[in-house]
Amino acid sequence: LLGPVHALTALDLPEDGDHTVVVLPADVPLLRRETLATLLAHRTTSSAALTMVTAVSERPYGLMRVIRGDSGEVMGLVSERDASRQQRAIKECTSGVFACSARVLRTALTSFPWEQGDRERTLGELVAALRRVGHEVDALSATVPHEIKGINSQTELAEASAIMRQAKCEELMSAGVTIIDPATTYVGPDVEVGHDTVLHPNVYLEGRTTIGTACEIHAG
């Protein structure tokens, strides 16, 4: 399958009633569950056919830019490759996380000439197809900009890993764990550490490791 929009054609979309389809690209690992909950809650009140998750990024390279009209409405998306110099300067962007009406989605997908089977259909084309027939598209801004960060290289993978490690250390320290040097302490997402425990530099805790309260863990 050529990208998430093409993959939607494989869905068995129900014919009766209207449902919400949520699309989560596999290369966006930093998206928080709180953002997804907000997206779903927004869909219960929004009149838009599609809601995308966006963020204002100081480093939007590689991400789709959000094009807005004079009154702030979402007009469309443009990829990094196709963007003009002026459009590349736009800081609001998206990596393809969105929720859409299943009924409207079914109609939009049938409007594409799928005989060009070797060409990927993008979220920008889906938004354009919805706009052409008069549907509204809106956006929900992520609280943390790096949530929509996509992973397309080893460099971006290392950056995302560092963000996740930092977030885990901050979570533990706010719960009463002393981490002497967070920059050299590696704690996995499923690790549990009790309060008043001290983690020294170069400590590695992985898997489903559990550390009790008031412990002291040295390197190695």
Side-chain angles (χ1 to χ4, degrees), residues 149-189:
K149 183 178 181 64
I151 308 300
N152 297 296
S153 67
Q154 290 298 322
T155 298
E156 291 175 342
L157 178 61
E159 290 175 351
S161 297
I163 291 171
M164 294 179 72
R165 289 197 302 270
Q166 179 183 355
K168 182 64 177 183
C169 287
E170 291 175 354
E171 173 192 323
L172 292 176
M173 289 188 288
S174 67
V177 177
T178 297
I179 301 179
I180 294 176
D181 184 10
T184 61
T185 302
Y186 295 76
V187 184

Side-chain angles (χ1 to χ4, degrees), residues 43 63 65 82 97:
R43 291 299 305 164
L63 296 172
R65 308 308 202 275
D82 298 328
V97 177

Side-chain angles (χ1 to χ4, degrees), residues 7 23 34 68 71 75-76 78-79 90-91 95 100 106 114 146 161 168 179 199:
V23 176
E34 294 86 352
R68 291 185 178 269
S71 58
M75 302 298 294
V78 62
S79 66
I90 296 173
K91 298 295 180 66
S95 57
C100 185
R106 188 187 305 110
W114 292 107
H146 67 235
S161 297
K168 182 64 177 183
I179 301 179
L199 302 182

Side-chain angles (χ1 to χ4, degrees), residues 8 12 18 33 36 56 59 79 86 105 108 123 132 134 136 138 155 159-160 164 167 174 182 194:
L8 290 171
D12 184 15
D18 199 9
R33 67 178 66 187
L36 285 178
V56 175
R59 295 175 57 194
S79 66
Q86 183 179 13
L105 178 61
L123 175 57
R132 277 196 300 270
E136 178 188 357
D138 66 359
T155 298
E159 290 175 351
M164 294 179 72
S174 67

